[in-house]
């Protein structure tokens, strides 16, 4: 017999007060109600779709927007828990009632599921403005839940055997060891946070899985290939031409990362110096402005925008605009690689590695810039770059650009 769960909104009997969200559990035509403590106003609820209405209105306070977002997230989590309860009861192949479902749900609410805890962690990261970190946590959760076939689990179920099975599953799907380590380290960080909050005991489930770092394949290309890309005639291919210009701008600016390029403002360029703060490390960098950089700006003006480059057009969904453009540019760089006769997977990140490699060839000390950003930790290399005497970096940059 199928068990169903419906989400309903119960308006308040007092005008102007928010109503309450309830769940109706039906099994063998017997209905039981679960009353939540989630409060919404009628205009925030879509009865036809049984979902929270996403409201983007400047007149609504940030606090109210956060409440709406939080309720929407908790509804999804509760549905996952109810589905987990129903699946577990079905797996036992014994008769049960609507009351059994409600009781099991309340018992589960008193325990701590991994998926719920990680989703709440991601939510907090977003509120703290740590978008990139929240995205990496999200991608890890998506991978782990795919391995779990969508089924949640309690922290007590996170065993060493389970994590070894997950690692084996990743390998069988062709995931590289650095990515395996990346996922394992994030899962371990979430688990350890739950231990710190005394939500579970420390059982060291990650002691037999890989959490190290392999050396990555060198992604730098020589200056002759950079020059070949620069001199390609792409006048009849404007989208490829734009991708090439962004690639070259990154190289011209000492391997500036795409995300930092995207968020550059016109006010960052003053008196021949481009100043910006690395979004990843919060390190302040200064770059001497060169003619080749200005040429790209003149070619792609952003007259009605505060941004220096036409990557982000406005303040609406900046992160989404940046990521969509990065995906588009990297796809076009693959086409450029073929046109240039290169035997490499050309991406924006290649420009970063290539400048570092070229800087080494110009006798910039290895203690400052390792070959092709080849440190085990990229952050270490970035810190080295940030602490470098700006004039020496600019001199090295002039030497490199002079070779093109």
């Amino acid at each position: 017999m199928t068990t169903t769960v419906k989400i309903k909104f119960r308006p308040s009997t007092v005008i102007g007060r928010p109503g309450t969200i309830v769940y109706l559990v039906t099994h063998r035509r017997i209905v039981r109600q679960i009353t939540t403590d989630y409060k919404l106003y009628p205009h925030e609820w879509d009865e036809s779709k049984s979902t929270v209405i996403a409201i983007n209105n400047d007149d609504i306070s940030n606090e109210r927007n956060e409440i709406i977002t939080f309720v929407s997230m908790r509804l999804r989590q509760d549905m996952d828990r109810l589905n987990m309860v129903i699946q577990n009861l079905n797996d036992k192949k014994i008769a049960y009632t609507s009351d059994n479902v409600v009781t099991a749900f309340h018992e589960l609410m008193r325990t701590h599921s991994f998926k719920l805890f990680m989703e709440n962690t991601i939510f907090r990261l977003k509120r703290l403005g740590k978008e990139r970190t929240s995205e990496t946590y999200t991608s890890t959760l998506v991978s782990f839940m795919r391995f779990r076939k969508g089924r949640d689990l309690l922290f007590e179920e996170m065993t060493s055997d389970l994590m070894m099975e997950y690692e084996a599953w990743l390998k069988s799907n062709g995931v590289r060891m650095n990515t395996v380590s990346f996922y394992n380290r994030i899962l371990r960080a979430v688990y350890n946070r739950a231990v710190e909050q005394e939500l579970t005991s420390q059982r060291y489930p990650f002691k037999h899985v890989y959490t190290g770092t392999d050396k990555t394949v060198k992604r730098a290309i020589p200056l002759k290939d950079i020059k070949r890309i620069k001199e390609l005639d792409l006048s009849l291919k404007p989208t490829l031409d734009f991708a090439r210009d962004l690639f070259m701008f990154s190289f011209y600016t000492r391997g500036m990362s795409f995300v930092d390029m995207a968020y550059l403002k016109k006010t960052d360029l003053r008196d021949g110096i481009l100043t910006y703060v690395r979004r990843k490390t919060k390190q302040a960098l200064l770059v001497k402005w060169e003619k080749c950089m200005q040429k790209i700006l003149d070619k792609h003006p952003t007259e009605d925008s505060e941004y220096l480059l036409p990557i982000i057009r406005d303040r609406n969904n900046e992160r989404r605009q940046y990521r969509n453009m990065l995906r588009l540019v990297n796809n076009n760089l693959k086409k450029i690689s073929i046109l240039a006769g290169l035997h490499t997977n050309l991406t924006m990140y290649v420009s970063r590695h290539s400048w570092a490699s070229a800087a080494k060839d110009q006798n910039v000390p290895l203690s400052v810039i390792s070959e092709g950003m080849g440190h085990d930790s990229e952050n270490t290399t970035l810190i080295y770059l940030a602490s470098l005497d700006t004039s020496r970096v600019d001199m090295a940059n002039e030497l490199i650009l002079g070779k093109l």
Side-chain angles (χ1 to χ4, degrees), residues 86-136:
I86 294 168
Q87 183 64 53
N88 288 340
L89 289 171
N90 286 333
D91 288 346
K92 293 179 180 178
K93 300 186 183 303
I94 58 175
Y96 63 90
T97 67
S98 300
D99 289 313
N100 295 141
V101 175
V102 173
T103 300
F105 174 75
H106 285 308
E107 289 177 354
L108 189 59
M109 289 292 286
R110 288 191 289 270
T111 61
H112 302 281
S113 82
F114 172 78
K115 184 171 181 283
L116 176 61
F117 183 80
M118 191 161 182
E119 285 178 340
N120 288 336
T121 300
I122 292 169
F123 182 74
R124 285 195 297 272
L125 288 170
K126 288 181 178 178
R127 289 187 62 183
L128 292 171
K130 298 182 178 181
E131 289 289 339
R132 177 58 183 162
T133 305
S134 71
E135 288 170 2
T136 59

Side-chain angles (χ1 to χ4, degrees), residues 49-103:
K49 297 180 180 178
S50 295
T51 187
V52 177
I53 296 175
I55 299 175
N56 295 314
N57 192 327
D58 292 337
D59 294 332
I60 298 177
S61 68
N62 288 333
E63 181 181 358
R64 193 64 209 165
N65 273 321
E66 287 184 3
I67 290 173
I68 294 171
T69 302
F70 179 75
V71 170
S72 180
M73 180 186 71
R74 291 305 298 268
L75 290 181
R76 291 194 302 271
Q77 293 173 345
D78 285 352
M79 286 302 101
D80 286 345
R81 285 188 167 197
L82 280 165
N83 288 330
M84 180 180 178
V85 165
I86 294 168
Q87 183 64 53
N88 288 340
L89 289 171
N90 286 333
D91 288 346
K92 293 179 180 178
K93 300 186 183 303
I94 58 175
Y96 63 90
T97 67
S98 300
D99 289 313
N100 295 141
V101 175
V102 173
T103 300

Side-chain angles (χ1 to χ4, degrees), residues 217-282:
V217 177
K218 181 179 177 182
R219 284 179 271 190
I221 58 177
L223 269 177
K224 63 181 179 63
D225 288 343
I226 296 288
K227 188 172 183 180
R228 191 182 304 175
I229 294 169
K230 175 189 173 186
E231 295 176 349
L232 275 177
D233 182 6
L234 300 174
S235 55
L236 299 179
K237 298 178 174 67
T239 56
L240 298 189
D241 187 40
F242 179 62
R244 185 262 306 277
D245 286 346
L246 292 184
F247 180 89
M248 294 306 303
F249 185 89
S250 171
F251 188 84
Y252 293 156
T253 53
R254 307 191 327 235
M256 186 185 296
S257 69
F258 192 81
V259 65
D260 291 327
M261 288 169 52
Y263 284 89
L264 285 176
K265 301 288 182 64
K266 291 175 180 177
T267 52
D268 294 331
L269 178 58
R270 291 181 180 178
D271 302 322
I273 300 294
L274 181 65
T275 305
Y276 70 100
V277 176
R278 282 280 289 131
R279 296 184 74 83
K280 187 170 185 178
T281 64
K282 308 305 179 185

